[in-house]
Amino acid sequence: MRHEMAGAAAIGVDIGGTHIRAARISSSGDVSAWEARPTPATPLVIDCIVELARALDEPSVSAIGIGIPGRVDARSGLVLSGGYVDLSTYPLAQAIGERTGRPAFLDNDGNAALTAEHAVGAARGADTVVMFTIGTGIGGAVIADGKLLRGRAAAGQMGHITVDSGGRACLCGRHGCVETTSSGTALRRHMAEAGFAGSSVETLLSRLTDGDAAACSVLAAWAAPMRIAIDTAVAIFDPDLVVLGGGLGAAMHQALAAFPAETPWYRCEVVPASLGDRAGVIGAGLTALNGVAEVKPT
Ligand SMILES: [Zn+2]
């Protein structure tokens, strides 16, 4: 077993709608141990993170990074508002820090995923990148000129690009955000409405290849609005590439082949995340290592 230097690793934690996953991450993004638990009721999330962190702790660990679904002010370590899991009333960084004895750093889960893809994944070396993370909801992040775009605190909420102003109510308070049409939750709804309840997205994609009209219309309801959101992001940021991550990023990338950019203005390379749905955990670990480096410059 390789001997790891004290302070050379961090624990990355990704809070998802269905699972909380954690891993010990080196500064080069290597994963040396994994743990996961089903996401408990919100008040128990802190206990769950502490338990995962204790299971993965060892002398090489210098900090804990946590990727959070929702709007996060990474600079002050506060959760501003949540979605499927709402931790905004909990002093999360402070509580985790006190209970584990390791400094804790928070960021939005989309920022964490893009941090990983930019450091060691599909967006390595790119100057400007837009990422959409497609899971229970849709998150995202933007790197502009090599740096995460934070705005006042919570820039990069890519799931809340409007694709249908007369559409369904969104958790954010508006209607027809791309999260309401193109998330995993939306895909399950489109599938149930078309009589595909219980099928997998892989089955639908293979039926699309066979020209099945019903499968085609489900995938159109899911992927065509995502194309609108991507074209909108390309218009605003003119990125080198768009990365699709989260558990459904690769499936969405395949489904989008039937929905190319609407006009030459919006042509931009769209790629699946190369770290898959591990990007959030790896990025949370790298965020913690970056946080420690900023607090204690060496
Ligand atoms: Zn919204």
Side-chain angles (χ1 to χ4, degrees):
M1 201 172 99
R2 191 158 56 97
H3 176 72
E4 287 185 61
M5 215 171 53
I11 293 169
V13 181
D14 186 41
I15 303 177
T18 58
H19 285 85
I20 298 183
R21 299 180 308 153
R24 202 161 57 235
I25 310 291
S26 75
S27 58
S28 50
D30 295 325
V31 173
S32 57
W34 270 100
E35 292 278 338
R37 306 265 191 284
T39 306
T42 301
L44 300 174
V45 165
I46 294 178
D47 291 341
C48 182
I49 295 170
V50 169
E51 205 181 295
L52 289 167
R54 284 182 182 150
L56 292 165
D57 201 11
E58 61 161 41
S60 70
V61 170
S62 61
I64 299 170
I66 308 161
I68 313 245
R71 294 165 60 251
V72 175
D73 185 341
R75 287 172 288 218
S76 63
L78 295 174
V79 181
L80 304 176
S81 65
Y84 292 93
V85 180
D86 187 353
L87 296 162
S88 58
T89 59
Y90 301 90
L92 195 62
Q94 193 192 332
I96 303 290
E98 284 170 7
R99 290 179 59 188
T100 61
R102 305 286 188 201
F105 297 89
L106 310 187
D107 208 340
N108 164 266
D109 54 1
N111 283 344
L114 183 50
T115 294
E117 289 292 338
H118 188 245
V120 296
R124 203 178 333 192
D127 271 341
T128 299
V129 193
V130 173
M131 182 163 191
F132 291 83
T133 53
I134 306 160
T136 307
I138 295 183
V142 177
I143 282 179
D145 300 327
K147 277 190 63 180
L148 269 177
L149 186 70
R150 295 200 177 275
R152 286 175 297 169
Q157 300 289 304
M158 308 311 291
H160 300 287
I161 291 176
T162 304
V163 294
D164 175 9
S165 61
R168 287 178 164 260
C170 180
L171 287 167
C172 72
R174 299 197 307 162
H175 285 79
C177 298
V178 70
E179 177 165 289
T180 69
T181 60
S182 306
S183 62
T185 308
L187 176 62
R188 270 201 307 280
R189 192 184 68 240
H190 298 314
M191 288 170 71
E193 285 168 1
F196 286 107
S199 282
S200 69
V201 67
E202 289 74 21
T203 305
L204 280 185
L205 286 164
S206 67
R207 287 192 182 212
L208 181 68
T209 318
D210 300 338
D212 181 314
C216 182
S217 92
V218 169
L219 289 168
W222 187 53
M226 177 54 80
R227 172 55 69 187
I228 296 173
I230 290 171
D231 286 2
T232 302
V234 170
I236 299 169
F237 299 107
D238 192 19
D240 298 303
L241 79 167
V242 174
V243 180
L244 302 179
L248 288 163
M252 179 61 86
H253 180 257
Q254 248 183 290
L256 278 170
F259 304 94
E262 294 215 3
T263 77
W265 278 26
Y266 304 112
R267 259 177 222 149
C268 177
E269 193 182 358
V270 179
V271 300
S274 70
L275 303 171
D277 62 355
R278 296 177 308 142
V281 176
I282 295 170
L286 295 176
T287 297
L289 290 168
N290 292 340
V292 170
E294 276 171 31
V295 174
K296 284 190 291 187
T298 49

